[in-house]
Amino acid sequence: VIGQRLLTGRLVIAQACIFSIQDVFKKAKAYTSEKQCHVPGSELPLCELPQVKHLFREADAELQHMEQYLTQVQQRLAVHLSAGTIPPDSLVSPRLAVHLSAGTIPPDSL
């Protein structure tokens, strides 16, 4: 029961972190869309530079992967909370809690 409470708390924190990250990316994308960058012969939005495009693509992919992982953990936990059963150790392990708290994904997940 204590493990379930710790995990649900960490799930809430992880979800709040994802919302905060999404907000930062939204603001960064808006800024880079408006900020003009001088290139030889013309100007273009900062978001059109290949390095910036690549950075946003990588960040979007990683964030999506984190959201999928968080959803998977929530769904697995919800089954046990609804049924009133004790989740397996792999779901309420300290290792999983550490990954959720750090906003990382264990290598053996998904």
Side-chain angles (χ1 to χ4, degrees), residues 15-107:
Q15 188 66 53
C17 289
I18 286 175
F19 288 146
S20 295
I21 292 167
Q22 287 171 333
D23 188 48
V24 168
F25 281 137
K26 181 180 175 184
K27 289 176 182 176
K29 287 178 181 179
Y31 174 80
T32 59
S33 294
E34 293 176 16
K35 180 69 176 174
Q36 294 296 308
C37 189
H38 298 286
V39 294
S42 68
E43 287 191 357
L44 70 142
L46 183 59
C47 66
E48 293 298 318
L49 291 176
Q51 301 90 331
V52 176
K53 279 184 175 182
H54 178 72
L55 177 71
F56 280 131
R57 272 196 306 269
E58 268 189 1
D60 286 338
E62 183 67 25
L63 185 59
Q64 185 179 14
H65 192 62
M66 289 174 63
E67 289 173 328
Q68 289 171 349
Y69 175 67
L70 183 60
T71 299
Q72 181 188 57
V73 172
Q74 289 172 334
Q75 290 170 346
R76 289 176 54 204
L77 181 62
V79 169
H80 294 284
L81 293 176
S82 296
T85 58
I86 297 174
D89 289 340
S90 64
L91 189 58
V92 291
S93 72
R95 181 175 166 263
L96 178 65
V98 167
H99 280 286
L100 286 173
S101 296
T104 59
I105 300 169

